[in-house]
Amino acid sequence: MRISVLGCGRWGSFIAWYLCSQGNDVCSWGPEDDYSYQVLRDTGKNEYVTLDSRICLTSDLQKAVDHAELIVISISSQGLRGFMEKVIACGGKEKTFVLCMKGIEVSTGSRLSEVLTQSGVSPDNIAVWVGPGHIQAFTQGIPNCMVIDSANDELKKRLAGEFRSDLIRFYYGSDLIGTEIGAAAKNVMGIVAGVLDGCGYGALKGALMARGAWEVARLIKAMGGNELSAFGLAHLGDYEATLFSQYSHNRGFGEMIVKGEKFPKLAEGVPTSAAMKMLGERYGVEMPLTDAVYELCYGEANGKTNRERCDELIKKLFSRETKSEF
């Protein structure tokens, strides 16, 4: 299959590497002024993968769109709408798209597949690829399970079958709302996990796993999805990689907040907390963990250290009224 992977950061470069290893004809695209693209262009590798010589690396978006039967997108979620305008201008409207990214558009509360449909792409031509796993583990040959979901049953089943290997076992989802919201929300819970690590409260992660998944389940149900999706691979199944791993950007971000240090890489859970807070208010869902992350990321310090703010938020969560678990 002729596949173009748009975005050559850590996930984009891995996806290109993985799909090429499966025998596909892969084109990897990145903007010419992007550091990730420049590193791959100049060295043929990055800190995660060495690009197979069969992969065509380009900064020409028109070339990448023309090449593809299937387009995989792996960029920052908040830039997707503007990026799709460029892809559509290159004649990509009728292509099949796979979103290998996690997030919710802050300005609208739209799921990422909705951003594509609002850009003019048919829902039948859109799939999402999410779930647990770290590139550092995959490239060491350590396998994991992931999910492909779509409104198009034939598409998701075909892709799950064609993309599977000894490295990744794919399942196909049955709830696009739950899959996308769950995948995005796990990044918010990752920030909470990092805060707990930074405060020395790692023993609370078990409670975070239970209460966090239940919070997300309530939102999924209110939005019209199946609340059980929160307990599948897209959300709860991704907790090991997000709440406990040294490689998790969101967990690392939360830990460094407590220490008052600047995290150097992208933490998608920050804008996602704002989007989820908005959705919680829109659908009337109580979301205390999400609200705590939002307050930490966007609230005023008022002269307090980050450690003091984190301790206050944890105490606030513990002071909530006693209620039935379910």
Side-chain angles (χ1 to χ4, degrees):
M1 188 189 307
R2 296 192 309 278
I3 301 175
S4 286
V5 181
L6 308 183
C8 56
R10 61 172 187 158
W11 268 109
S13 60
F14 166 73
I15 294 301
W17 173 87
Y18 175 77
L19 292 175
C20 180
S21 73
Q22 295 300 100
N24 296 290
D25 181 359
V26 176
C27 177
S28 174
W29 172 88
E32 189 170 15
D33 59 354
D34 179 69
Y35 177 74
S36 297
Y37 169 77
Q38 293 171 355
V39 168
L40 288 171
R41 179 197 62 195
D42 296 342
T43 69
K45 61 182 180 180
N46 57 23
E47 60 183 303
Y48 307 107
V49 298
T50 298
L51 283 189
D52 191 295
S53 61
R54 294 171 294 175
I55 296 174
C56 172
L57 179 66
T58 183
S59 60
D60 184 337
L61 184 59
Q62 184 69 62
K63 179 179 179 180
V65 172
D66 289 344
H67 170 87
E69 300 171 69
L70 178 77
I71 294 177
V72 177
I73 302 181
S74 181
I75 64 172
S76 172
S77 62
Q78 301 309 313
L80 181 60
R81 188 178 296 273
F83 182 64
M84 281 306 299
E85 293 178 1
K86 299 176 182 178
V87 174
I88 298 297
C90 289
K93 183 178 178 181
E94 303 303 323
K95 302 284 187 176
T96 297
F97 291 87
V98 178
L99 296 171
C100 191
M101 46 197 291
K102 303 166 184 175
I104 304 166
E105 190 175 53
V106 174
S107 59
T108 64
S110 294
R111 293 177 285 110
L112 301 186
S113 67
E114 292 179 313
V115 173
L116 262 64
T117 59
Q118 292 160 11
S119 301
V121 180
S122 168
D124 284 339
N125 292 337
I126 302 169
V128 299
W129 171 353
V130 297
H134 278 294
I135 298 161
Q136 294 90 335
F138 280 135
T139 54
Q140 294 174 48
I142 301 171
N144 216 319
C145 302
M146 302 189 81
V147 177
I148 292 180
D149 209 342
S150 173
N152 182 339
D153 284 343
E154 187 279 329
L155 176 62
K156 66 189 177 187
K157 291 178 182 179
R158 176 170 62 85
L159 293 177
E162 291 179 354
F163 287 175
R164 67 175 296 176
S165 70
D166 291 339
L167 191 60
I168 303 178
R169 173 177 170 77
F170 284 99
Y171 291 83
Y172 50 84
S174 57
D175 174 30
L176 190 56
I177 293 174
T179 297
E180 289 190 273
I181 294 297
K186 68 94 185 179
N187 286 329
V188 177
M189 300 307 157
I191 292 176
V192 181
V195 169
L196 294 178
D197 284 337
C199 291
Y201 300 152
L204 276 172
K205 285 188 181 179
L208 170 61
M209 292 173 70
R211 300 311 303 164
W214 189 239
E215 179 172 312
V216 174
R218 293 196 302 269
L219 179 61
I220 290 171
K221 182 178 181 179
M223 294 178 66
N226 183 345
E227 66 268 35
L228 292 179
S229 295
F231 305 98
L233 287 169
H235 185 71
L236 184 61
D238 208 357
Y239 269 18
E240 187 282 329
T242 306
L243 271 59
F244 297 94
S245 175
Q246 62 177 315
Y247 303 128
S248 170
H249 283 188
N250 292 283
R251 194 209 59 77
F253 175 85
E255 186 172 8
M256 293 184 77
I257 279 184
V258 179
K259 298 176 180 178
E261 300 175 2
K262 184 176 177 59
F263 188 70
K265 298 183 179 181
L266 175 68
E268 284 279 10
V270 176
T272 301
S273 70
M276 285 181 60
K277 179 177 173 60
M278 177 175 64
L279 289 174
E281 293 169 351
R282 180 184 298 175
Y283 289 96
V285 179
E286 189 178 21
M287 306 188 71
L289 290 167
T290 298
D291 291 345
V293 173
Y294 177 83
E295 175 63 26
L296 186 59
C297 294
Y298 294 99
E300 296 293 331
N302 295 322
K304 298 171 184 173
T305 66
N306 282 358
R307 175 59 194 258
E308 290 171 338
R309 295 175 67 208
C310 290
D311 281 335
E312 283 189 1
L313 286 169
I314 292 171
K315 290 177 181 177
K316 184 178 179 181
L317 289 169
F318 268 76
S319 67
R320 297 174 72 242
E321 64 176 325
T322 304
K323 58 179 65 177
S324 168
E325 182 180 10
F326 299 109

